[in-house]
Amino acid sequence: MTTKHLLAAVDEDAAPLTHEQLRELYALMASVRHLDTAAVAWQRQGIIPGYAPQLGQEAAQVGSGYAVDRTMDFVFPTYREMGVARAMGVDMVGYMSTHKATWHGGMYNPLESRFAPIQAVVAGSVLHAVGWAHGQTLSGKPDGERGVAMTYFGDGASSQGDVHEAMNFAAVMKAPVVFFIQNNGWAISVPTERQVAGGSVAARAAGYGIPSLQVDGNDVVAVFEATRSAFAHCRAGHGPVVIEAMTYRRGPHSTADDPGRYRTLDEERLGAGEDPLERFRQRLLADGVADAAFFAEAQRRAEEEEEAIRSGIEALGPRPGAEMFSLVFQEPTPTLQSQATAWRKESEHV
Amino acid sequence: MSETITEAPGTATDTAAPVLQMSMQQALNRALDEILADDPKTVIFGEDCGRLGGVFRITDGLQAKHGEERVFDTPLAESGILGMSVGLAMAGFHPIPEVQFDGFAYPAINQIICQIARMNYRSRGTLPMPITLRVPSFGGIRAPEHHGESLEALFAHVPGLKVVSPSNPHDAYHLLKYAATRPDPVIFMEPKSRYWQKGPVDVTSATPGTEASDGGSPTGARVVREGRHLTLVAWGAMVARCLQVAELAAEDGIDVEVLDLRWLKPIDAEALATSVGKTRRAVVVHEAPLTSGLGAEVAQLITQRCFDTLKAPVERVTGFDVPYPSGDLEDEYIPNIDRILFGIQRVLEYRRG
Ligand SMILES: Cc1ncc(C[n+]2csc(CCOP(=O)(O)OP(=O)(O)O)c2C)c(N)n1
């Protein structure tokens, strides 16, 4: 289902991406690809206990994250949005610390980065985006200064009741929310056709009167343009938009997963389609936007960056145990304080 | 059983202060009105709380006075209401959502436990959740199923939540104003069977906890009746019932102290120790089922602090381990005067060995 015309009206003047921006998108995708592949290797090497790869989702993540205006918008991720985080300039050591098991939500500052804490409950933050977006409506900020919330979730998460509640709330309140579904074909072992009734997640939007788009999630420019239109639609006060980016999770669900139990390598090759990174490289070459030297340089920088992030997380060390107690409340309870004191006495021997 | 209100000594007698007679419903409504006026970031929302003013009229007139942006109706979806609160808090608002009846907090439990209670921790203190969830709570009004549940132990068990329940209009007014200005999530459990009981409200006290009888702490318990022979520990609607019991016991020469716990998390353990340290006997009274209820927590806190002086094990008089029964059986389920008197008898007659 494509209702693109509904959004086009507010996005007529959007300029095409400049060559500079196209190269930047490629460089972001290259560094996301390299960091993602490296993180899986780190897990095998015992540097981190686990990771949720996003191999094959670089275009969907970078293209959408690139459309966010970090001076006013806010993003609500799940556990697989490393590429969005990177495109938004989130501190990647802070981001990876969640996979290092240093701190559940990550160690970056969500307020400064405009990227909410990493979230393990699927669909957990979809409603938060609606609340945050309604806050923009209530804020009294002038037109053009109100932010848009973008919430990420998967085809599996779309089965959660909270997604229904969120779409209904957002439509009733005309909240400026972009529901960004990465349909990567699978929710762990269950394929989309066993997960989503009604043909697609985007199709559901019609039931709420929300305009929706299905976009080729392996085409970074298409994803960027769809997201930019959706943001313009929301910013102009027209309410929420649903974007379903059709992509494919090429590797395992997580480093603990064994996809061989639910799909064959042949099926994987067939389902995955074109590699979004390679496809974009060919396009930039064909259009004369970038040359071999540029790609080599992008790769070199990606490797340099990955090394810095790896040494950053290796140097992280465990958090002081006292934080376990001190970060529960803004105003700790006496019971918690005495538990902290007892813990200190019994474990730190001070 | 007829309910007569017996007020705490000291709350109604200070003639210098503007003490108003009002019901708990009016006290809560006034508190919300003032919170909205004082803090432009406060927003109140839930099912029917706008134009209707809530099914219990706690938000009566607030939308007309403060506007549809500050007080609004949501679609009928509890997870939606609580999940939305998280985002509003992240955007710098102070949400005071309402769940229409206690039993309808269950569909929102995921958002309450996994999100509201954890976001401050998850975000390392950068995303506080100054949310006050108002829950009309407990039974006693012969309502349909799911309209009279006692969820305090469930909420109190969750790290990251605070829980409070007022027992009278004065505390309702002050505790709500206090809870709504805190930076942490507070579950505010309103004893719905007490909504229409009138009592004195001194609107000039700065916060709850400024009076001698409540130890001077805004999260303190309050001695609502002094006594020498034993302490009845209660909260919410059970406080008024314990005061009735104390009057009856006094006729037999038994001098009962009644401690209104008020905060169920954090629990004022010092007040428990002070009271039971003096009386040396205690009975905890609550509407919730016995097993793993808050009475066990209270009994442990007392045992730990008063073991050497206790003259009997701490007794509990509670609801039963059954799903909340329908109206005809409600009086059998909720601790009544006789059962509380039996509890008192058990601790008074206890003999060692
Ligand atoms: C509420 C909830 N139920 C179950 C899980 C366990 N779980 C983690 S990821 C996942 C599949 C999610 O699939 P999808 O939403 O399509 O996202 P993807 O992982 O494919 O990106 C499941 C079942 C969870 N994290 N949260």
Side-chain angles (χ1 to χ4, degrees):
Chain A
M1 134 160 311
T2 302
T3 47
K4 202 158 187 162
H5 58 281
L6 279 175
L7 302 183
V10 292
D11 196 33
E12 273 160 357
D13 325 322
L17 286 166
T18 64
H19 285 194
E20 179 65 32
Q21 287 172 312
L22 290 168
R23 283 193 292 267
E24 196 183 353
L25 277 176
Y26 181 87
L28 282 168
M29 282 172 72
S31 69
V32 167
R33 167 68 56 92
H34 186 69
L35 184 56
D36 187 67
T37 314
V40 175
W42 300 345
Q43 191 273 334
R44 308 291 186 235
Q45 294 157 13
I47 297 173
I48 58 177
Y51 178 68
Q54 51 99 67
L55 186 70
Q57 299 182 218
E58 294 86 354
Q61 300 210 353
V62 169
S64 55
Y66 195 70
V68 176
D69 181 342
R70 278 176 289 138
T71 64
M72 50 180 167
D73 302 328
F74 212 100
V75 162
F76 295 79
T78 71
Y79 44 81
R80 202 192 294 287
E81 269 68 74
M82 189 274 280
V84 183
R86 176 63 187 84
M88 286 175 61
V90 175
D91 162 38
M92 294 314 283
V93 174
Y95 181 92
M96 283 294 177
S97 67
T98 195
H99 299 298
K100 175 101 186 305
T102 307
W103 198 264
H104 282 319
M107 297 279 296
Y108 54 90
N109 182 324
L111 284 179
E112 283 163 15
S113 61
R114 315 296 283 177
F115 191 82
I118 292 162
Q119 169 77 245
V121 183
V122 311
S125 62
V126 182
L127 279 158
H128 308 173
V130 177
W132 189 91
H134 190 59
Q136 297 304 296
T137 309
L138 298 180
S139 67
K141 287 181 200 158
D143 284 357
E145 284 178 32
R146 289 190 296 270
V148 175
M150 178 152 59
T151 170
Y152 285 85
F153 56 100
D155 46 309
S158 79
S159 300
Q160 289 274 327
D162 274 8
V163 169
H164 161 76
E165 297 193 16
M167 287 188 182
N168 190 53
F169 270 53
V172 166
M173 294 171 166
K174 275 194 157 219
V177 183
V178 178
F179 294 93
F180 193 95
I181 297 110
Q182 280 175 93
N183 187 338
N184 64 9
W186 296 87
I188 311 187
S189 66
V190 178
T192 303
E193 59 270 24
R194 302 289 307 155
Q195 185 74 246
V196 180
S200 71
V201 185
R204 293 185 187 160
Y208 308 102
I210 302 179
S212 70
L213 319 156
Q214 239 183 14
V215 58
D216 180 349
N218 296 327
D219 177 346
V220 68
V221 174
V223 172
F224 169 75
E225 284 175 349
T227 315
R228 181 172 60 178
S229 313
F231 270 79
H233 177 95
C234 292
R235 251 190 252 297
H238 299 315
V241 178
V242 171
I243 296 178
E244 183 175 19
M246 305 307 287
T247 173
Y248 193 87
R249 187 195 84 220
R250 289 171 168 249
H253 169 80
S254 75
T255 46
D257 179 33
D258 171 13
R261 296 177 70 108
Y262 54 85
R263 66 189 191 198
T264 65
L265 274 180
D266 277 347
E267 283 165 344
E268 203 166 291
R269 251 177 246 120
L270 275 176
E274 267 183 297
D275 173 359
L277 186 66
E278 185 52 28
R279 173 172 161 181
F280 194 39
R281 181 211 299 268
Q282 296 304 340
R283 174 166 164 187
L284 295 184
L285 269 175
D287 293 350
V289 175
D291 56 13
F294 168 81
F295 297 124
E297 175 64 7
Q299 181 60 22
R300 193 191 62 75
R301 288 202 185 181
E303 285 166 20
E304 210 173 79
E305 181 181 298
E306 179 258 309
E307 274 163 40
I309 296 165
R310 178 172 37 75
S311 44
I313 67 159
E314 280 179 317
L316 260 182
R319 301 306 306 164
E323 282 188 354
M324 182 167 71
F325 301 97
S326 64
L327 294 171
V328 180
F329 292 115
Q330 296 278 324
E331 295 176 334
T333 62
T335 319
L336 193 56
Q337 277 166 326
S338 64
Q339 286 176 22
T341 307
W343 166 82
R344 216 171 262 129
K345 222 164 47 207
E346 290 165 11
S347 56
E348 286 185 342
H349 307 289
V350 289
Chain B
M1 180 184 324
S2 73
E3 296 269 4
T4 52
I5 354 163
T6 315
E7 281 308 328
T11 53
T13 48
D14 188 353
T15 45
V19 177
L20 310 167
Q21 282 292 322
M22 58 175 97
S23 66
M24 186 182 284
Q25 175 269 336
Q26 290 166 323
L28 291 166
N29 181 261
R30 179 176 172 130
L32 290 173
D33 184 17
E34 291 173 9
I35 293 162
L36 284 164
D38 290 347
D39 177 3
K41 287 293 187 186
T42 303
V43 277
I44 292 176
F45 50 92
E47 293 155 17
D48 307 299
C49 67
R51 211 188 306 181
L52 181 68
V55 293
F56 290 108
R57 305 291 184 270
I58 307 302
T59 53
D60 199 19
L62 298 180
Q63 185 179 67
K65 183 160 169 191
H66 298 278
E68 291 185 15
E69 300 213 320
R70 311 272 319 273
V71 182
F72 54 93
D73 292 319
T74 64
L76 204 169
E78 288 72 21
S79 191
I81 294 165
L82 274 302
M84 174 171 191
S85 304
V86 175
L88 280 165
M90 287 170 72
F93 288 85
H94 298 159
I96 310 185
E98 174 182 295
V99 164
Q100 202 159 66
F101 285 91
D102 34 52
F104 305 125
Y106 295 128
I109 281 293
N110 166 43
Q111 285 293 336
I112 296 170
I113 297 181
C114 301
Q115 306 301 337
I116 291 176
R118 288 172 188 237
M119 195 57 85
N120 188 71
Y121 197 67
R122 192 183 280 154
S123 71
R124 303 179 52 76
T126 57
L127 299 174
M129 291 285 114
I131 296 169
T132 302
L133 169 59
R134 289 186 38 253
V135 188
S137 292
F138 316 116
I141 61 163
R142 306 178 91 77
E145 192 174 11
H146 298 306
H147 291 67
E149 310 261 315
S150 298
L151 295 167
E152 62 268 44
L154 180 64
F155 289 136
H157 192 62
V158 176
L161 297 179
K162 296 175 182 176
V163 187
V164 63
S165 185
S167 69
N168 60 64
H170 176 83
D171 279 357
Y173 172 83
H174 287 289
L175 289 169
L176 183 56
K177 288 192 80 171
Y178 181 75
T181 51
R182 304 332 303 156
D184 292 310
V186 179
I187 312 292
F188 194 85
M189 301 180 70
E190 299 168 3
K192 60 174 90 80
S193 66
R194 305 293 299 170
Y195 272 149
W196 312 109
Q197 301 293 330
K198 290 205 170 190
V201 178
D202 177 353
V203 292
T204 61
S205 345
T207 61
T210 50
E211 287 160 57
S213 58
D214 57 25
S217 157
T219 53
R222 183 206 286 276
V223 176
V224 291
R225 185 187 200 280
E226 299 220 35
R228 290 173 296 130
H229 296 144
L230 88 154
T231 303
L232 285 180
V233 184
W235 52 88
M238 287 300 98
V239 173
R241 184 151 298 172
C242 286
L243 285 168
Q244 285 180 296
V245 168
E247 292 300 321
L248 291 170
E251 291 171 15
D252 293 331
I254 302 163
D255 192 13
V256 174
E257 176 144 314
V258 180
L259 185 71
D260 177 356
L261 212 48
R262 301 201 300 189
W263 285 85
L264 310 179
K265 185 178 181 183
I267 287 181
D268 185 352
E270 288 320 304
L272 286 171
T274 305
S275 177
V276 183
K278 180 181 74 175
T279 63
R280 307 176 74 178
R281 294 179 175 92
V283 179
V284 197
V285 180
H286 63 62
E287 294 186 43
L290 176 83
T291 301
S292 300
L294 266 194
E297 182 69 28
V298 171
Q300 156 61 9
L301 291 172
I302 293 171
T303 306
Q304 195 182 35
R305 283 166 178 75
C306 307
F307 184 71
D308 290 340
T309 49
L310 275 179
K311 289 200 164 172
V314 179
E315 274 295 330
R316 290 179 285 169
V317 179
T318 71
F320 303 109
D321 290 2
V322 301
Y324 198 88
S326 57
D328 280 357
L329 288 172
E330 203 171 52
D331 291 342
E332 303 300 325
Y333 174 86
I334 300 176
N336 59 25
I337 288 181
D338 285 348
R339 285 176 57 210
I340 300 170
L341 284 170
F342 275 122
I344 289 175
Q345 199 177 350
R346 287 198 295 276
V347 297
L348 288 176
E349 291 178 356
Y350 178 79
R351 293 281 173 272
R352 257 171 236 279

